[in-house]
Amino acid sequence: LLQLPWVEDASIRRQWPSGLYIKVVEKQAIAYWGDDSILSSRGELFSPPVIERNSMLPKLRGPEGLHKNVLDFLAQLNDGFNEMGVEVNKLMLDERRAWTITIADKATSKNVVIKLGREDTASRLDRFMLVFSNKTLLDINDVAVIDMRYPNGFAMRKKNTDVNISVFDTAGFTR
């Protein structure tokens, strides 16, 4: 039973006088990993023969062996994003170790791509939260991409246009 992909744990004991009691615990999927795997709540990758992609699980991707790092970062992101009313749909760590996040507004389901890059991700994420947690400053529903890879600001591209908005200096924003 333990060899089956969806089985987390199994136990068998004898039920007197002539029976067996079998207990099977199913793995809890918390995210898709790449094209052919699922990440369990224990941080383990497993690959069932058929993966139905119709559930609302986030899609994660990263270099081989770094799935726990990506899962840990997802948990960190969810703490801050839940307060903003958005959720992570996709989280990618590329081969250069640069982070790209796709979030969706829970009310409107509109997606926004956030490019964090690979350096100073914590401060860049803090800067994003500082500016976008106050919805009166900027409405992220009109934005397609937010590039946080600048040292003192960010750049945005609006939806349905190729025009970029200038880089903002975030030194003046306060909580």
Side-chain angles (χ1 to χ4, degrees):
L1 289 174
L2 291 174
Q3 300 302 315
L4 297 172
W6 280 99
V7 175
E8 182 79 41
D9 194 22
S11 62
I12 300 174
R13 67 180 164 99
R14 185 172 180 199
Q15 187 78 24
W16 185 259
S18 59
L20 292 175
Y21 175 76
I22 302 172
K23 180 180 177 184
V24 177
V25 178
E26 181 182 16
K27 287 183 181 175
Q28 298 299 312
I30 60 167
Y32 297 113
W33 180 264
D35 296 326
D36 58 356
S37 297
I38 296 177
L39 200 53
S40 77
S41 58
R42 289 189 174 179
E44 299 169 354
L45 284 178
F46 64 101
S47 299
V50 177
I51 297 176
E52 295 182 19
R53 300 233 177 224
N54 54 1
S55 67
M56 300 303 293
L57 298 175
K59 296 162 186 68
L60 309 180
R61 186 177 297 272
E64 187 175 332
L66 293 179
H67 57 277
K68 288 188 180 183
N69 298 47
V70 177
L71 182 60
D72 290 344
F73 192 54
L74 176 66
Q76 178 186 349
L77 292 172
N78 282 335
D79 289 342
F81 286 154
N82 284 335
E83 294 175 12
M84 292 177 58
V86 297
E87 60 190 0
V88 177
N89 280 353
K90 295 179 186 173
L91 178 59
M92 185 178 92
L93 179 64
D94 67 17
E95 295 297 328
R96 293 179 42 243
R97 307 301 192 262
W99 293 99
T100 303
I101 308 163
T102 303
I103 59 172
D105 188 295
K106 290 180 183 177
T108 63
S109 298
K110 293 183 179 179
N111 288 335
V112 178
V113 175
I114 304 167
K115 295 182 180 184
L116 280 184
R118 63 183 180 165
E119 298 174 3
D120 299 324
T121 54
S123 64
R124 290 173 182 176
L125 189 58
D126 288 344
R127 188 175 344 122
F128 174 83
M129 297 298 212
L130 179 69
V131 174
F132 290 97
S133 62
N134 185 351
K135 291 200 176 227
T136 59
L137 294 176
L138 292 168
D139 184 14
I140 64 172
N141 288 319
D142 295 330
V143 177
V145 179
I146 302 171
D147 189 345
M148 300 301 298
R149 297 175 293 180
Y150 295 90
N152 295 317
F154 57 91
M156 297 188 308
R157 189 177 78 227
K158 290 191 137 220
K159 289 187 174 166
N160 302 324
T161 182
D162 289 334
V163 177
N164 289 333
I165 297 174
S166 331
V167 177
F168 294 92
D169 182 6
T170 56
F173 287 107
T174 58
R175 282 196 185 261

